[in-house]
Amino acid sequence: MLFGGVDEAGYGPLLGPLSIAAVSAEADDEAALKQGFRRARTGAKDSKQVHVSGDITAIESVALPAITWLTGHAPGNMRECLALLGEDESVRTDVPWMAGTAGVVLPIGSEPLKTWKIPGVTPRALRGSLIQPRAYNASRRLGVNKADIELQAVGGLLTMISATDEHGMIVVDRLGGRRYYRDFLQSLWPDTMVLVEVESPGISGYRIVAPLAEQSVSFRVDGESHSPLTAVASCIAKYVRELHMMLLNRHWCAVRAALKPTAGYAKDAVRWLDDLGVAVVDPIRDELVRGVATEIIDVGETAIGDAAAPTLPA
């Protein structure tokens, strides 16, 4: 049976990418999937419970082994890692603070990373979408709202990790306050029948009925606690976002020695932009800032994001 998980990191910030990861694996059934992860003790859970503000090594200890397990390749540097998540190098070529990804050697931390061996579970796929400010702003100018930018990316990833000829179960961490997804799922799989199973404050569950197989797709509040693969996706999404924030801080702190690093969220991002100065920010605002400094920030991530910013070893 095919299982999948989807989660994001960075929905609320003004700076850095919105990072979304989708993963899939095979197991005999849901019990076998969960038992395999329990026995393997991977440490995968909601990235907010794993990540330590100002130190990438904790989230790396989960995300990098997960990426290696899913792809069969241990990325030796940031460029390889981003390629595995589907980010084309062309989006970084003319953005100075995104340069040098090949020079960021992985792992960044010095502790040996665990090799994942998960009994009864076979990795299938890793897919990702990193929506950088330029692409985000282009969508906003076309009238696409913030939630729909994310939903469109999630839809693309869902079609990549699913298979209508295999029975499957996919858990997506719930997207903000949105509760109804039937029409969205029907647009992804127009040749199937999408049945509503539940649409409640905590879960929106659907059954995708195709000629050869059925899939369960649910959007759950705290989806990471319901599926180990959603937890894996959460950690990977957070890790690659943190890598990008490291590059941004390294570049701009070299330009302005007195500039304090930022995690890119809410008030601290506004502080950072003010410190950098209007004369510097305005010519590059479209590449640097998602929306405008007064855009409403996701309250759920603000407190976390305003903590210590990531730093990158020289």
Side-chain angles (χ1 to χ4, degrees), residues 107-128:
I108 291 170
S110 59
E111 294 296 321
L113 295 179
K114 183 177 181 179
T115 299
W116 282 16
K117 295 180 180 179
I118 305 176
V121 183
T122 303
R124 278 282 293 266
L126 167 63
R127 298 291 185 270

Side-chain angles (χ1 to χ4, degrees), residues 87-296:
E87 182 171 275
D88 193 295
E89 194 168 2
S90 63
V91 305
R92 306 190 300 269
T93 53
D94 59 347
V95 183
W97 54 92
M98 292 189 198
T101 55
V104 180
V105 177
L106 303 180
I108 291 170
S110 59
E111 294 296 321
L113 295 179
K114 183 177 181 179
T115 299
W116 282 16
K117 295 180 180 179
I118 305 176
V121 183
T122 303
R124 278 282 293 266
L126 167 63
R127 298 291 185 270
S129 178
L130 280 76
I131 304 171
Q132 299 289 354
R134 180 188 291 169
Y136 175 94
N137 293 335
S139 294
R140 294 290 285 121
R141 283 192 292 271
L142 291 173
V144 183
N145 67 37
K146 182 177 177 179
D148 284 340
I149 291 173
E150 181 184 44
L151 189 63
Q152 289 172 7
V154 167
L157 296 177
L158 280 174
T159 60
M160 290 180 186
I161 65 166
S162 65
T164 55
D165 60 348
E166 292 182 78
H167 294 296
M169 179 182 295
I170 301 174
V171 177
V172 185
D173 192 50
R174 179 91 143 226
L175 312 178
R178 187 186 296 265
R179 184 185 294 189
Y180 305 107
Y181 297 88
R182 197 206 73 84
D183 290 347
F184 164 68
L185 292 173
Q186 190 68 75
S187 71
L188 298 181
W189 294 289
D191 297 326
T192 68
M193 181 167 57
V194 180
L195 303 177
V196 178
E197 295 193 315
V198 60
E199 289 177 329
S200 70
I203 176 175
S204 301
Y206 306 86
R207 187 154 48 97
I208 317 298
V209 182
L212 298 178
E214 294 186 8
Q215 298 181 79
S216 165
V217 179
S218 61
F219 297 79
R220 290 178 174 265
V221 174
D222 298 324
E224 306 92 345
S225 65
H226 295 277
S227 168
L229 291 178
T230 310
V232 170
S234 175
C235 290
I236 292 174
K238 182 64 174 178
Y239 179 59
V240 293
R241 173 175 160 78
E242 288 301 301
L243 288 174
H244 266 296
M245 292 307 298
M246 283 180 149
L247 281 186
L248 181 143
N249 281 304
R250 180 174 70 175
H251 174 84
W252 288 110
C253 289
V255 171
R256 291 282 180 88
L259 188 66
K260 181 182 176 182
T262 180
Y265 293 73
K267 294 180 182 179
D268 188 61
V270 175
R271 180 276 308 168
W272 188 86
L273 292 166
D274 286 343
D275 290 348
L276 198 55
V278 173
V280 174
V281 172
D282 276 358
I284 56 172
R285 179 174 289 274
D286 200 47
E287 290 78 25
L288 183 63
V289 186
R290 279 164 35 192
V292 295
T294 55
E295 186 170 356
I296 297 174

Side-chain angles (χ1 to χ4, degrees), residues 21-102:
V23 306
S24 63
E26 292 178 40
D28 287 342
D29 51 36
E30 187 178 12
L33 176 76
K34 292 182 176 181
Q35 182 182 39
F37 269 87
R38 280 196 299 269
R39 291 175 60 187
R41 298 186 179 182
T42 62
K45 52 188 173 181
D46 184 349
S47 63
K48 297 180 184 67
Q49 300 174 32
V50 178
H51 180 56
V52 176
S53 296
D55 183 0
I56 200 172
T57 56
I59 195 71
E60 181 176 71
S61 70
V62 177
L64 207 50
I67 291 169
T68 302
W69 177 70
L70 286 160
T71 65
H73 175 70
N77 58 51
M78 182 177 170
R79 181 172 65 182
E80 293 178 8
C81 183
L82 295 176
L84 292 172
L85 268 290
E87 182 171 275
D88 193 295
E89 194 168 2
S90 63
V91 305
R92 306 190 300 269
T93 53
D94 59 347
V95 183
W97 54 92
M98 292 189 198
T101 55

